Amino acid sequence: QVQLVESGGGLVQAGGSLRLSCAASGRTLSTYNMGWFRQAPGKEREFVAAIAWSGGNTYYADSVKGRFTISRDNAKNTVYLQMNSLKPEDTAVFYCAASDASYYRDNYYNRAAYRYWGQGTQVTVSS
């Protein structure tokens, strides 16, 4: 069992930056592929970014490519999402998730590929 706790959300003006953290307990994250998803009010939860267990491969939604960076520190059992040039449309609850699915490589964007989820952290971007 893996427990995930997100932090770092808040209120920021458009163009600003935030760094989200996802700390794990219960088991080491080093064997899990990790992802960030977000859910805006009235919308479905959507893929934002993902990183392979080794940190070697990263993936991004087109909407955040070039602005967001996912990283991980397995020694600290933590995954990060650096968000720059934030826009009002980035407003959402952000969730981190851990995947041990064998089919992760072709399904990193799919919520069903992730076994463990955090409770989320609110990000609000004002215009």
Side-chain angles (χ1 to χ4, degrees):
Q1 189 78 7
V2 177
Q3 291 80 42
L4 303 173
V5 178
E6 302 94 337
S7 62
L11 174 63
V12 64
Q13 288 189 332
S17 299
L18 283 175
R19 188 194 196 202
L20 304 184
S21 298
C22 173
S25 61
R27 295 186 68 177
T28 176
L29 278 185
S30 61
T31 59
Y32 289 89
N33 302 302
M34 299 297 296
W36 284 96
F37 289 75
R38 66 186 180 186
Q39 188 166 16
K43 295 188 177 181
E44 291 194 355
R45 194 171 298 187
E46 65 175 5
F47 169 74
V48 174
I51 186 166
W53 65 271
S54 64
N57 292 320
T58 57
Y59 311 92
Y60 297 93
D62 288 343
S63 59
V64 307
K65 203 170 292 183
R67 300 189 297 123
F68 291 9
T69 303
I70 188 171
S71 62
R72 66 191 299 161
D73 186 337
N74 286 339
K76 294 184 178 180
N77 236 21
T78 302
V79 177
Y80 305 97
L81 185 67
Q82 177 66 44
M83 305 186 296
N84 299 328
S85 302
L86 283 161
K87 305 175 181 180
E89 50 264 44
D90 293 318
T91 295
V93 177
F94 281 71
Y95 300 89
C96 72
S99 172
D100 57 0
S102 59
Y103 53 88
Y104 164 84
R105 184 173 181 177
D106 297 321
N107 289 274
Y108 56 85
Y109 54 88
N110 190 338
R111 290 176 292 173
Y114 294 82
R115 182 190 298 267
Y116 302 106
W117 292 83
Q119 292 302 304
T121 185
Q122 177 71 47
V123 171
T124 302
V125 184
S126 63
S127 57

